């Protein structure tokens, strides 16, 4: 790989430190609780309308697993179909190569500004920053992404990047950065200000950049779903369209796409269908962009595919349902994860895409979970996130080696448990800790036990163990 993978943000502290800081922001927690509670309720109602929801989930998982098992075949089929319809396919092994391809294409058009459809893939590779370094300004057209961009902020949610901002904060951002600021913080005024700000960009910009929700291998058709209409403007008005898409976004055929067009809107925006579903197949003379480029992005995906447990993260369709039910995310927000991909899915996807056991921030993400399993229950493609989290935690421990305090403690425990006499001696010694208890709980222990009692109590150890009781009463 040609440099640092920008999936995680440079300079971000590990999750425990970032989460601790986020928990002190009461306004953030209030914003998150209100937003996630609302989304959760609406999603549950939308899903309850379908009697075959669990069958749809199983079908979505099966289709994704088939794609991952035969990815080479489907990628070649997609490339052939896109090329046959007048598009040009580019292959990028990492973020650096993808950014170079896109920047070269923009420069070839003589453009110094581009409009963008909301895209996780372009955020993952740090495309906006790469374009700016190359003298090209990228204008986000999704309302929430625009809020984040104008506020010099970072996104905190896959679907609603500005979920951590309330209306008053958004109004203040717009008033600082827009030529025609909103009159108030009413939703209509905020939307109208954004509409005026963006309309000129849509009509004047020659190049648009998008991501892709899906691509149909059989026909080379690329699909973007959205709710605001900004995507439709970007995909139809400019002369050149550049789409950056992760390798795993393929579906084999249109019947397969049908499954995901039922799963995605109900899981993400709690809608029966997306207000705007845009589909294009290469270039059509007289209709839409005259030039179409598809950049197929690896950036750690083939390495993730090689992991039999971790590869299921590549099923993800970026619905964000797991974020909205996660008790950890609801309290810390997405920026604490220090990654483009926050929440439970980010905790298993980002470390694998980074694939660097020495990246302290990425290595901390698998621990950003209570393992309650709520994420698995709502995932529309049945990603067993708790299973992958524990799998990745195991890899983190292995990478640390056998000389860490944790490894030494576990080795000592194994030695103790291996012999009945040693086990009983340890039990008797442990029972002495009851003298530190108050009201049946131990609230303060010396180091290293203080690492535990700094955030939780320890139940007092009984004076007599069960083994001793049994020997005394049953002989």
């Amino acid at each position: 790989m040609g440099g640092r993978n920008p999936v995680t943000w440079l300079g971000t502290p590990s999750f425990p430190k970032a989460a601790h800081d986020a928990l002190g922001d009461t306004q953030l927690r209030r914003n998150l609780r209100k937003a996630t509670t609302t989304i959760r309720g609406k999603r549950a109602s939308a899903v309850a309308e379908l009697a075959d929801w669990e069958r749809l989930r199983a079908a979505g998982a099966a289709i994704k697993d088939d794609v991952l098992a035969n990815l080479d075949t489907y990628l070649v089929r997609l490339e052939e179909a896109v090329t046959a319809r007048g598009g040009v396919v580019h292959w990028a092994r990492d973020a650096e190569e993808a950014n170079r391809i896109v920047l070269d294409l923009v420069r070839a058009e003589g453009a110094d500004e581009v409009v963008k459809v909301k895209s996780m893939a372009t955020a993952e590779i740090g495309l906006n920053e790469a374009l700016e370094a190359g003298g090209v300004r990228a204008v986000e057209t999704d309302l929430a992404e625009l809020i984040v961009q104008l506020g010099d902020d970072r996104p905190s949610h896959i679907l609603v990047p500005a979920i951590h901002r309330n209306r008053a904060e958004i109004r203040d951002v717009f008033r600082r950065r827009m030529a025609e600021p909103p009159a108030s913080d009413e939703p209509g005024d905020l939307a109208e200000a954004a509409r005026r700000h963006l309309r000129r960009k849509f009509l004047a910009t020659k190049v648009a950049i998008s991501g892709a929700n899906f691509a149909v291998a059989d026909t080379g058709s690329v699909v973007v779903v959205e709710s605001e209409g900004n995507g439709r403007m970007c995909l139809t008005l400019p002369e050149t369209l550049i789409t950056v898409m992760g390798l795993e976004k393929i579906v084999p055929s249109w019947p397969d796409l049908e499954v995901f067009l039922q799963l995605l809107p109900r899981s993400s925006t709690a809608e029966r269908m997306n207000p705007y579903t845009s589909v294009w197949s290469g270039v059509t003379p007289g209709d839409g962009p005259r030039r179409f480029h598809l950049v197929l992005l690896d950036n750690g995906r083939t390495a993730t595919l090689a992991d039999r447990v971790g590869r299921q993260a590549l099923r993800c369709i970026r619905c964000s349902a797991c974020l909205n039910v996660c008790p950890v995310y609801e309290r810390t927000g997405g920026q604490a994860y220090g990654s483009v991909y926050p929440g439970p899915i980010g905790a298993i996807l980002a470390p694998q895409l980074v694939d660097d056991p020495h990246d302290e921030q990425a290595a901390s993400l698998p621990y950003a979970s209570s393992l309650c399993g709520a994420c698995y229950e709502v995932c529309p493609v049945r990603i067993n996130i708790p299973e992958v989290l524990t799998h990745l935690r195991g890899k983190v421990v292995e990478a640390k080696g056998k000389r860490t305090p944790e490894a030494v403690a576990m080795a000592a425990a194994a030695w103790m448990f291996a012999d009945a006499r040693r086990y009983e001696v340890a039990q008797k010694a442990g029972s002495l800790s009851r003298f530190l208890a108050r009201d049946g709980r131990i609230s303060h222990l010396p180091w290293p036990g203080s690492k535990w009692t700094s955030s939780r109590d320890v139940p007092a150890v009984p004076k007599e163990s069960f083994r001793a009781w049994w020997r005394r009463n049953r002989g």
Side-chain angles (χ1 to χ4, degrees), residues 90-92 98 101-102 105 242-246 293-297:
H90 308 262
W91 300 79
I101 291 170
V102 175
L105 291 172
I242 304 168
T243 296
V244 181
M245 186 187 88
H293 298 269
L294 176 61
V295 181
L296 295 174
L297 176 68

Side-chain angles (χ1 to χ4, degrees), residues 160-432:
V160 194
I163 196 172
H164 56 291
R165 296 293 186 193
N166 59 32
R167 290 179 352 198
E169 292 171 319
I170 295 168
R171 176 203 60 204
D172 293 342
V173 168
F174 282 7
R175 284 181 173 174
R176 287 196 304 269
R177 300 297 300 271
M178 288 183 174
E180 299 180 60
S184 72
D185 64 0
E186 288 299 313
D189 288 337
L190 296 175
E192 180 59 29
R195 186 180 296 113
R196 290 195 303 267
H197 177 79
L198 291 173
R199 186 56 59 96
R200 292 186 291 271
K201 303 294 185 183
F202 288 135
L203 296 175
T205 306
K206 297 192 299 182
V207 180
I209 297 174
S210 81
N213 294 101
F214 310 102
V216 182
D218 282 352
T219 60
S221 304
V222 182
V223 184
V224 165
V225 297
E226 39 109 9
S227 301
E228 299 172 16
N230 63 297
R232 183 68 56 83
M233 302 281 276
C234 289
L235 300 172
T236 56
L237 291 176
E239 297 176 6
T240 300
L241 173 61
I242 304 168
T243 296
V244 181
M245 186 187 88
L247 299 176
E248 80 283 11
K249 292 294 184 178
I250 296 178
V251 295
S253 66
W254 280 84
D256 298 316
L257 177 63
E258 177 191 355
V259 173
F260 293 103
L261 292 183
Q262 295 179 74
L263 287 170
L264 180 56
R266 291 176 187 269
S267 295
S268 57
T269 55
E271 296 170 299
R272 297 182 180 92
M273 64 181 292
N274 292 97
Y276 294 88
T277 300
S278 299
V279 183
W280 67 98
S281 305
V283 176
T284 303
D287 183 12
R290 292 182 289 176
R291 289 169 292 279
F292 170 56
H293 298 269
L294 176 61
V295 181
L296 295 174
L297 176 68
D298 185 336
N299 204 39
R301 285 162 174 78
T302 52
T304 302
L305 187 60
D307 188 319
R308 292 185 178 275
V309 177
R311 71 175 59 157
Q312 59 186 296
L314 296 177
R315 292 183 199 157
C316 178
I317 58 175
R318 311 292 192 264
C319 69
S320 75
C322 61
L323 281 70
N324 300 326
V325 299
C326 177
V328 176
Y329 174 87
E330 183 178 321
R331 287 157 179 79
T332 65
Q335 293 182 353
Y337 292 79
S339 167
V340 171
Y341 300 109
I345 187 60
I348 65 171
L349 184 59
Q352 296 190 89
L353 295 181
V354 171
D355 194 25
D356 180 0
H358 302 295
D359 187 318
E360 181 182 356
Q361 192 273 327
S364 71
L365 292 179
Y367 296 91
S369 171
S370 65
L371 299 179
C372 68
C375 49
Y376 181 32
E377 293 299 319
V378 299
C379 177
V381 287
R382 297 178 57 83
I383 301 172
N384 191 337
I385 293 178
E387 177 187 35
V388 183
L389 285 168
T390 54
H391 170 68
L392 294 178
R393 289 181 185 185
K395 295 179 73 172
V396 170
V397 172
E398 289 176 8
K400 289 179 179 178
K402 297 183 178 181
R403 301 199 176 190
T404 63
E406 181 183 15
V408 171
M410 290 299 103
W415 177 80
M416 180 265 294
F417 281 119
D419 182 86
R421 291 179 179 239
R422 292 197 291 263
Y423 178 63
E424 287 198 29
V425 171
Q427 280 189 316
K428 290 179 181 179
S431 70
L432 297 177

